[in-house]
Structures are given as C-alpha cells and as structure tokens.
Amino acid sequence: MRATIVAALVALALAAPAAAPAAGHVATCPHAWAAGWQKLATKVQAPVYCPTWMPSPLDAQIGGQFEDIYSIAKDRSYLVSFLEHGDLGSGDVHVNFRGFPGSTKIPACPAPVGKGTIACFQQPFTHVGANGITATAYQVNWGADQWHILLAWHYRGSLYTVSEHVIKPYDNATRVLANLERLLKSLVLVRPQG
C-alpha cells in the first residue's frame, strides 16, 4: 500500500510542471498578512517565506483566527502554524511553516520510543520544484509535523519547511502533495528590516 502511495506521489510531482508568474507580475505577500510576516522576518533577522495561497479555509494571517502556534526559539528557529478544526467530523486543515536561520541541518526530535532523539524529517520520497525552489518531500515526520507531508529546502545557509497534515478533508497524500506544491509556487520572500 505504501509503495502505491509513494508511486502516485512521485508521478504527480513529475507530471505537474512548475508555473511561472505572468510576465511583469511580481508576487507580494497579501496586504492583510504582510505585517505579521515582516515582523517575523525582522525578529529572527532572516528572510522568511510568506504564502500567497493557503488550502481552504485557512489564511496565513499571523495573529489571525487560524493561527495555531507562533513560536521563536533562542536560536531564532521558528514555527508558525495555522489550523482549522472542522465541525461535526469534517476534519482538520493544518499547515506549518518552519525556518532554521543559519542552519541547514534537519532538527532532532524526541524518539517516539525509548530515550534519545531522531531526525524530525524522514523518508524522503521525491523532489518538488517551483518558484525557484527545489524542495525534498518527506513522508515520515515527527514533532509538530507528525502525520504531515513536509517539503524542505535550503536558502542562503538556512533550512525552511512547509508541511500539511494528511487528514480529512485532505486525507489523500496525493492531494496534500498537490497543495504543498501550490504553496511552494505561492511563496514570497520577505526580508528583515532594520
């Protein structure tokens, strides 16, 4: 079964070409979301990626109704999470954005059994390219990204990720990978000020 899912995901990733922005069009962080992402970039003193699209019904307004987690560690790594709990069993929509300024190393998570740590992102299965980014897709993830499919990439000596939970209503791994590719295409780099 897992081999079938992986084969379908690889086929989807290879078949879907990356869309180029329209000539003369420069994507920007949506006005309603821009202040939060700019504040994050300035606080961590590193570029961050603002999405211009989110899976329904989410938006990416930091401090808005869908913000679930906003966490910045002492090492400037951050987690910004957006979540909507569906009503009457309709499912959850959950997307995480993470950044690790100054580090390209996959972070460690507590081991699920016993003591020690393991790599938070495991079992890479394909590469997805869009928006000038080539990301590696991981199908087994831990910590805040458990039960998610995750895309990870490097930019100027830092690791960045976006992940989405595979759960109703997006309970098909192929659909989640398509959402993540659309998110990757939508990302806009926001640089720190000051």
Side-chain angles (χ1 to χ4, degrees):
M1 175 70 173
R2 177 171 263 181
T4 303
I5 291 171
V6 170
L9 292 170
V10 170
L12 174 71
L14 294 175
H25 174 74
V26 177
T28 59
C29 191
H31 180 73
W33 309 349
W37 291 94
Q38 183 65 67
K39 183 176 178 182
L40 174 63
T42 301
K43 189 160 190 174
V44 299
Q45 280 300 292
V48 301
Y49 286 91
C50 170
T52 60
W53 175 86
M54 289 286 279
S56 180
L58 298 181
D59 64 31
Q61 183 175 357
I62 294 174
Q65 69 173 337
F66 298 113
E67 181 188 290
D68 179 44
I69 299 170
Y70 180 88
S71 175
I72 301 173
K74 289 180 183 178
D75 66 359
R76 299 182 298 133
S77 63
Y78 63 86
L79 165 62
V80 180
S81 176
F82 300 93
L83 172 66
E84 166 66 12
H85 288 296
D87 295 329
L88 304 174
S90 64
D92 295 340
V93 183
H94 185 205
V95 174
N96 291 336
F97 294 89
R98 299 178 76 179
F100 302 88
S103 176
T104 58
K105 187 174 158 186
I106 293 175
C109 285
V113 177
K115 297 180 180 179
T117 60
I118 58 172
C120 291
F121 319 140
Q122 298 181 2
Q123 294 189 19
F125 64 93
T126 192
H127 295 282
V128 178
N131 200 17
I133 298 168
T134 300
T136 302
Y138 292 86
Q139 63 183 348
V140 175
N141 302 290
W142 301 100
D145 301 296
Q146 188 171 12
W147 309 114
H148 289 218
I149 292 177
L150 178 139
L151 299 182
W153 67 96
H154 298 131
Y155 176 73
R156 294 195 175 180
S158 298
L159 175 66
Y160 294 90
T161 72
V162 61
S163 72
E164 183 179 352
H165 196 164
V166 182
I167 190 171
K168 241 173 104 176
Y170 299 110
D171 57 356
N172 178 295
T174 302
R175 185 166 182 200
V176 168
L177 185 62
N179 281 353
L180 288 170
E181 183 176 11
R182 188 168 176 188
L183 271 166
L184 199 68
K185 289 176 184 176
S186 84
L187 295 179
V188 175
L189 201 61
V190 177
R191 299 183 188 283
Q193 293 178 336

